[in-house]
Amino acid sequence: MAALKERNWIPIIFVFSFVLVGIIATLFFLPGYKGEVGFDVSILPLLNAIYNCFTFTFLVVSLAAIKKRNIKMHRAFIWAAFGSTFLFLVTYVVYHFLTEPTPFGGSPTMKAIYLVILLSHILLAIVNVPLALISVAWGLGNKIPKHRKIARWTMPIWLYVSFTGIVVYLLISPYY
């Protein structure tokens, strides 16, 4: 843990975040994979929603734990949230590598609502990547005042992103 305290992880976190977002953005400009996959990829969006649900739940439990000053439980559920977010990311990238984007098929009003939620979800997900990584680096590095300061932003953004991920799925799922 001493290395975490002394090392400045911010540049590495920002480079990683930039590369990750770039890779994900690139997926939307690639044609869908046309080869044989060997499994039904239509299950992946549902898995994404389930992983978002787990992330949201883990974050709420983590928040409750830290409010009660239970650092061990807080840390365990933050790691669980990172784990479910990682699984989401894997299934999300695989799905969007293998398929074309799904157009929204609802009414113009519902489409507008969907797009507002989707846009806010995407933009805040991009912001959340470095925020979450910096929060955990400062927490593990025992830079508690800095950790608390950034976590006040990270937690609500991450909660919003995971919750709206579920909402986005519910709104687009009839059109898969």
Side-chain angles (χ1 to χ4, degrees):
M1 294 294 174
L4 276 175
K5 276 186 182 181
E6 296 162 17
R7 180 154 188 165
N8 180 7
W9 291 96
I10 305 296
I12 294 167
I13 288 169
F14 277 108
V15 167
F16 173 79
S17 300
F18 182 78
V19 169
L20 179 65
V21 170
I23 290 169
I24 293 169
T26 302
L27 291 174
F28 289 95
F29 298 103
L30 296 175
Y33 178 73
K34 302 295 183 209
E36 231 2 81
V37 178
F39 69 96
D40 184 7
V41 297
S42 66
I43 191 71
L44 295 178
L46 174 60
L47 285 176
N48 291 340
I50 291 168
Y51 293 140
N52 271 318
C53 190
F54 281 141
T55 299
F56 184 83
T57 304
F58 295 151
L59 290 173
V60 169
V61 173
S62 174
L63 183 59
I66 203 62
K67 294 283 186 191
K68 293 180 179 181
R69 305 232 184 264
N70 188 338
I71 295 168
K72 187 175 180 181
M73 185 179 196
H74 168 73
R75 187 175 287 165
F77 278 93
I78 286 295
W79 283 122
F82 266 97
S84 57
T85 298
F86 175 77
L87 292 173
F88 162 83
L89 185 60
V90 169
T91 56
Y92 180 87
V93 167
V94 167
Y95 180 75
H96 286 286
F97 174 74
L98 296 174
T99 64
E100 301 283 337
T102 302
F104 189 83
S107 70
T109 302
M110 283 307 297
K111 184 174 184 176
I113 291 169
Y114 168 76
L115 291 174
V116 166
I117 294 169
L118 179 63
L119 183 62
S120 67
H121 170 80
I122 291 169
L123 293 175
L124 288 173
I126 291 167
V127 168
N128 192 61
V129 172
L131 284 178
L133 293 172
I134 292 168
S135 293
V136 80
W138 285 348
L140 289 173
N142 209 25
K143 297 177 180 179
I144 302 307
K146 285 182 163 187
H147 172 74
R148 285 183 181 148
K149 202 172 199 177
I150 196 168
R152 283 190 174 98
W153 290 92
T154 307
M155 183 61 81
I157 291 172
W158 200 355
L159 283 165
Y160 180 85
V161 167
S162 57
F163 182 77
T164 55
I166 300 163
V167 173
V168 165
Y169 169 76
L170 292 173
L171 291 171
I172 194 75
S173 64
Y175 311 107
Y176 284 120

